Amino acid sequence: MTFLDQYKKQYINRNIQFVVIDLQGHILESDQTFIELKEGDLIYDVHPFFMSFSAILDATQASITYNCVHIEVQDKEFITDLKIFKKENHVLLVIYDLTEHYLDYQSIAQARNESIINSELVVLKNVELEERERFKNAFIQNFSHELRNPLTSIISITNLLEGTNLDNEQRQMVDFLKQSNSNLRLLLDDILSISMIASGRLQLRNKVFNLYDLLELIKFTYKSKTSQKSLRFVMEYDHKIPEYLEGDRLRLFQILTNLLDNALKFTEKGTITLNVKLNQKRANKVSLRFEVADTGIGIPSEKSNAIFESFTRLETEDKKEGVGLGLSIVKGLLSLMGSEVKVESIPGQGSIFYFDVTLIYALDLASKPIEKIKAKPIDVSKLKGHRKYKVLLVEDDERTQTVLFKALMETALFYIDLVNDGALVFETVMNNSYDIILMDVDLPNVPGDQITKLIRGFPFKDIKGIPIIGITGNVFKENIEGYLDDGMNAVVPKPFDFHELLETIIKHLK
Ligand code: ADP
C-alpha cells in the first residue's frame, strides 16, 4: 500500500459511513465507520431524525441532502451531513461526520458574532460619549457666552462707579463688588478652560519668558495672601535653572496659582512652600520639578484620584469656596505639556502636589522678544492734535451700550453713534463717515460677522476699509478666527477690560 493509500484510509474512511437500507427501513449493510448499526434493525429506531426517511421513499427526486444534523447514538454526539440516494429496491445512506468542522465553524462564528456585537457596542458607546461631550461643550459655550454680556456690564459699571465721588462705605462696597466680579470672571474662565481642554481646542502658546520674574511675581502675591491668614510662605528655587525659558508662561502660572490657592484654602496654620528644582539640563532642554507643599488638612489616600475629576470636592468640616475645577484644569494643562500632577498627602498633616515639566532653554533665548508681564500704558501720542474720531458702536445689549458709551466719551477722543439692530448698520455706514466700527457679533436681524463681510465687499474704498473691531461672548478660538476671516481687524472677547479695548481701538485708528 502506498503512503497515499494509507493516508486515504486513515483520514477519508474515518469520516464517511455507508449504510444500505431496504425500502421498509431495515438496515441491510453498514461499514460501521463510526456508528455501530445492527443489520436487520430499523433505521427509524436508531435516531428519531431517520423518521424523515419515509419522505424520500415517497419523493420523486433521487437524492436528498441534509446539512448539520445532530445525531446522538450510543452516548456519542455527531454533527453530520447526510445524503440519501433512492435506488430501485434499496436506499443508500451516506453519513459524513463533520463534528469537528461544525464545532470549529460554530466557535468561529460565535467569536465573530461576539466581536461584531462588541465592536458595535464600542462604536455606540463612543457615539454616546462624543454626543455627551459635544452637548456638554455646546452647553458650556452657550452658557459662558450668556454670562459674558451681563458680566461685562457689571465689571465696566463697577469701574465707572469707582471713578465717581464715593464715601468710605460706598467705596468699601465697590471694592467688594470688584472682588466678586473678578471671582466670577475667573470662574467663567475656568469653565471655559475645562471645556476647551476637554474638546482638544486649547493650544499652548510657547514663548520665551523670564521664569525668575514669574516666580517673584508669585512670591509677591502669595506672601501677602498667606500673611492675611497668618501663614508663612516660603519659595525656593535652584539658581542653576536658566532664567529665560521657552514655554507657556500663562498656563504655567495658572497651574501654580491653582495649586497654591488650594494650599492656601485648605491650610489654617503653618507654611505653604513653593519649591522649584532642577531635575536635569541637557542639550537645549531643562526638566524642572515644581512642588507645592502645605501643612493643611491633607487628603485621604483613597480620595487622591477623585480630586482630579472636574466638579469633585471632598467633604470638609467648614465649607470652603470653590466648585472643584482647579485640579482638573491643572491635570488637563499638564497633560498638554506632556506631564502629570501627583499628590502625596497625610491627613491632618498636609499635602504635596508636584509635577515635572520640560522647557526649552537655549543660550540665545535671552535675545528673543520676551513676553511682558505688566500691561504697558496706552500710547495716545498718535491721537494728539487729531480731530475727534467718529465711532459707530453697534451693540444691542443696553447695559453694554451704556457702559461703552460712557467710557468712550470719558476719553474725550471720540464722537459716538449708536445702532442696535444689525439691519440698520449698512445704511448708517453709507450715510456717514466713520473712523472705526465697534461691532457686537450677536445682533438682532443680521449678525455682526455678516455685516462685516458685506462692508468688506463694498465697492467704495472709504467704506470697504473702515476698521472693524468685533466684540463677542463667543470666545472660542475658531469663532474668533472665523470673525477675523470675515474681515474684522481684531476681536475683543467679553468680558473685556476697557483698557484692553481702548488699546485695540487706538491701534487700528488710521
Ligand atoms: P476646589 O478647590 O474648587 O474645590 P479643586 O479641583 O482645586 O477644586 O480641588 C478639588 C478638591 O480636592 C478640593 O475641594 C479639596 O477637597 C481637595 N484638595 C485640593 N487641594 C487640596 C489641598 N492642598 N489640601 C487638601 N485638600 C485639597
Side-chain angles (χ1 to χ4, degrees):
M1 208 190 280
T2 63
F3 278 131
L4 200 62
D5 287 338
Q6 279 179 30
Y7 286 134
K8 275 184 176 169
K9 198 164 178 242
Q10 187 181 347
Y11 289 105
I12 298 178
N13 292 345
R14 289 175 62 122
N15 289 337
I16 305 178
Q17 178 160 351
F18 293 88
V19 187
V20 179
I21 301 161
D22 71 12
L23 297 182
Q24 283 73 46
H26 295 104
I27 298 164
L28 300 177
E29 287 175 71
S30 163
D31 64 6
Q32 316 290 56
T33 319
F34 48 89
I35 303 177
E36 287 280 334
L37 296 173
K38 259 198 12 237
E39 283 174 23
D41 277 2
L42 272 175
I43 189 77
Y44 311 126
D45 294 338
V46 175
H47 191 274
F49 178 80
F50 293 118
M51 299 294 257
S52 51
F53 250 37
S54 49
I56 184 141
L57 301 177
D58 305 330
T60 48
Q61 74 257 50
S63 75
I64 298 184
T65 306
Y66 297 97
N67 296 110
C68 199
V69 180
H70 288 246
I71 310 176
E72 218 185 300
V73 256
Q74 292 133 18
D75 290 336
K76 275 206 222 147
E77 196 183 334
F78 301 93
I79 308 174
T80 62
D81 279 1
L82 299 175
K83 269 189 194 308
I84 304 167
F85 300 92
K86 194 161 89 174
K87 305 288 178 192
E88 185 104 348
N89 54 2
H90 64 269
V91 171
L92 169 65
L93 166 65
V94 184
I95 311 172
Y96 299 85
D97 174 13
L98 299 173
T99 313
E100 238 172 75
H101 162 80
Y102 276 121
L103 286 180
D104 281 354
Y105 181 76
Q106 236 174 19
S107 58
I108 291 169
Q110 181 161 348
R112 194 168 153 265
N113 286 344
E114 276 173 14
S115 87
I116 291 175
I117 291 171
N118 280 341
S119 65
E120 274 171 7
L121 279 179
V122 168
V123 170
L124 278 177
K125 241 191 182 145
N126 282 344
V127 168
E128 188 193 319
L129 281 179
E130 274 169 23
E131 200 48 50
R132 269 207 239 178
E133 202 51 42
R134 237 196 316 278
F135 177 78
K136 194 173 89 181
N137 286 322
F139 174 77
I140 290 176
Q141 199 170 344
N142 288 339
F143 155 90
S144 71
H145 173 219
E146 290 307 318
L147 282 182
R148 263 159 213 276
N149 256 337
L151 186 59
T152 304
S153 323
I154 298 170
I155 289 177
S156 312
I157 291 173
T158 312
N159 288 343
L160 290 175
L161 201 60
E162 197 186 17
T164 61
N165 284 331
L166 299 174
D167 63 27
N168 276 348
E169 200 185 352
Q170 286 166 330
R171 191 155 297 282
Q172 240 177 5
M173 288 194 278
V174 168
D175 281 347
F176 184 69
L177 253 181
K178 280 181 77 173
Q179 185 58 42
S180 309
N181 289 346
S182 96
N183 286 346
L184 198 56
R185 188 180 167 159
L186 288 177
L187 176 63
L188 212 53
D189 287 346
D190 273 0
I191 290 178
L192 205 62
S193 298
I194 278 287
S195 92
M196 283 170 77
I197 293 171
S199 59
R201 281 189 289 195
L202 194 129
Q203 281 173 341
L204 294 179
R205 287 173 55 230
N206 292 332
K207 282 190 184 166
V208 178
F209 70 98
N210 185 326
L211 179 71
Y212 289 18
D213 280 355
L214 175 72
L215 293 176
E216 290 304 324
L217 176 73
I218 290 178
K219 186 170 161 187
F220 177 78
T221 315
Y222 285 89
K223 268 237 178 283
S224 90
K225 282 191 176 185
T226 44
S227 71
Q228 284 165 19
K229 265 186 102 174
S230 303
L231 296 169
R232 233 161 60 88
F233 181 74
V234 177
M235 186 179 81
E236 283 164 2
Y237 56 92
D238 187 337
H239 286 265
K240 288 204 282 299
I241 299 171
E243 198 172 342
Y244 291 99
L245 294 168
E246 193 173 321
D248 193 327
R249 184 190 67 83
L250 193 76
R251 299 301 174 188
L252 184 61
F253 184 73
Q254 196 178 2
I255 292 166
L256 291 172
T257 51
N258 272 336
L259 294 178
L260 286 165
D261 284 341
N262 277 347
L264 193 68
K265 191 158 45 170
F266 297 103
T267 305
E268 294 310 319
K269 59 175 195 295
T271 311
I272 289 168
T273 315
L274 170 62
N275 223 322
V276 190
K277 295 178 190 162
L278 178 66
N279 291 331
Q280 56 173 319
K281 193 152 86 170
R282 223 187 263 161
N284 64 340
K285 288 189 179 142
V286 278
S287 162
L288 305 179
R289 165 154 302 190
F290 290 85
E291 264 178 22
V292 174
D294 65 53
T295 53
I297 59 169
I299 298 150
S301 61
E302 71 276 11
K303 300 282 170 57
S304 58
N305 281 331
I307 53 172
F308 296 103
E309 301 301 321
S310 45
F311 302 107
T312 302
R313 316 188 60 217
L314 307 181
E315 284 292 321
T316 44
E317 272 171 29
D318 49 339
K319 264 264 162 276
K320 306 277 180 192
E321 264 185 26
V323 290
L325 285 177
L327 287 179
S328 56
I329 291 176
V330 168
K331 182 177 156 188
L333 290 176
L334 279 173
S335 82
L336 291 179
M337 296 184 185
S339 176
E340 205 183 345
V341 56
K342 304 220 170 75
V343 60
E344 276 168 23
S345 181
I346 301 176
Q349 291 193 22
S351 316
I352 305 181
F353 286 83
Y354 60 94
F355 59 90
D356 294 325
V357 280
T358 301
L359 299 170
I360 294 177
Y361 143 74
L363 285 174
D364 66 345
L365 280 188
S367 59
K368 284 200 189 176
I370 294 161
E371 201 170 348
K372 289 277 183 301
I373 291 179
K374 291 188 197 85
K376 32 181 197 335
I378 299 178
D379 178 15
V380 288
S381 59
K382 83 175 201 189
L383 309 181
K384 292 234 172 80
H386 196 281
R387 59 168 173 78
K388 278 193 182 182
Y389 289 90
K390 272 198 90 174
V391 178
L392 176 63
L393 174 59
V394 189
E395 169 67 80
D396 63 313
D397 182 80
E398 265 178 41
R399 284 158 307 172
T400 315
Q401 273 176 11
T402 319
V403 164
L404 272 178
F405 202 87
K406 267 198 89 181
L408 287 169
M409 288 301 273
E410 274 179 8
T411 63
L413 296 169
F414 309 105
Y415 288 119
I416 303 145
D417 281 347
L418 189 68
V419 167
N420 59 10
D421 184 328
L424 302 175
V425 177
F426 209 54
E427 190 190 321
T428 317
V429 170
M430 298 237 281
N431 293 326
N432 292 279
S433 60
Y434 291 108
D435 294 299
I436 198 156
I437 303 175
L438 297 187
M439 178 111 66
D440 183 22
V441 175
D442 283 302
L443 290 166
N445 297 318
V446 190
D449 46 342
Q450 277 189 34
I451 304 170
T452 307
K453 265 198 205 164
L454 279 173
I455 293 177
R456 292 293 178 247
F458 206 71
F460 304 123
K461 235 172 118 197
D462 55 337
I463 290 181
K464 182 187 168 127
I466 304 175
I468 302 176
I469 313 281
I471 307 170
T472 179
N474 302 323
V475 294
F476 281 99
K477 194 166 159 261
E478 66 258 32
N479 299 129
I480 292 182
E481 280 170 358
Y483 305 147
L484 294 174
D485 283 349
D486 292 333
M488 290 189 174
N489 297 67
V491 180
V492 178
K494 285 178 185 176
F496 52 78
D497 176 44
F498 184 69
H499 183 92
E500 201 181 301
L501 179 68
L502 192 60
E503 208 169 38
T504 313
I505 295 175
I506 291 172
K507 193 169 139 203
H508 288 95
L509 282 173
K510 287 178 190 149

